[in-house]
Amino acid sequence: MMDNSIEIESNKRMRAEHMHPITLTFKDLEMEEMYHQVRADLLKSNVVCTCIIWVLIVICQSIVVQEVEVLLPPFLPATILLAIGLLLVMAEEFPVLPVSLRRLSTRLARATFGRKAFICALMAIISLPSMLTL
């Protein structure tokens, strides 16, 4: 417990020294720039989780609505867009895909704002069809 307490206090002190408490950005601009260059390994798992959530939403709504002609128009384009998003994020893992697509995937994984915007767009793609069928 003592080691844990010391570690927590050390983390709090370092956060107070190096970060803005409200914006959670580094006070040193150079460190902030380095942080933005760090590759985020969670993007792939976030997109896969988003696709799993989408499949569960489709299953639940198909059980509730039970009319294919109501579900198909909003769900089909959303499913295609999510599949394209998943392909884009996972492209760098598959050497058989075109180099330009793999390069775009790598660039997306490294861009902090791009990652956030991409995940927000995927969440919007999920939200809109789900609300339309309600």
Side-chain angles (χ1 to χ4, degrees), residues 31-56:
M31 285 182 77
E32 182 69 21
E33 185 62 32
M34 284 176 48
Y35 172 73
H36 283 289
Q37 299 302 320
V38 172
R39 181 181 169 77
D41 294 328
L42 294 177
L43 180 64
K44 292 175 187 166
S45 63
N46 288 346
V47 173
V48 169
C49 287
T50 303
C51 291
I52 291 170
I53 290 169
W54 175 247
V55 168
L56 294 174

Side-chain angles (χ1 to χ4, degrees), residues 58-66 71:
V58 169
I59 290 170
C60 290
Q61 291 217 1
S62 64
I63 290 171
V64 171
V65 175
Q66 294 184 351
L71 293 178

Side-chain angles (χ1 to χ4, degrees), residues 74-125:
F75 280 16
L76 188 62
T79 303
I80 291 170
L81 289 173
L82 285 172
I84 290 170
L86 182 63
L87 176 69
L88 178 62
V89 168
M90 299 300 287
E92 65 183 340
E93 298 294 325
F94 302 106
V96 295
L97 292 175
V99 176
S100 59
L101 187 61
R102 288 186 294 162
R103 196 175 303 134
L104 182 62
S105 176
T106 303
R107 201 174 312 143
L108 180 64
R110 290 187 180 155
T112 305
F113 179 76
R115 287 190 306 259
K116 292 176 185 175
F118 188 75
I119 292 297
C120 287
L122 290 181
M123 294 309 292
I125 289 170

Side-chain angles (χ1 to χ4, degrees), residues 61 75 126-134:
Q61 291 217 1
F75 280 16
I126 285 179
S127 302
L128 289 173
S130 301
M131 289 187 301
L132 287 174
T133 56
L134 291 177

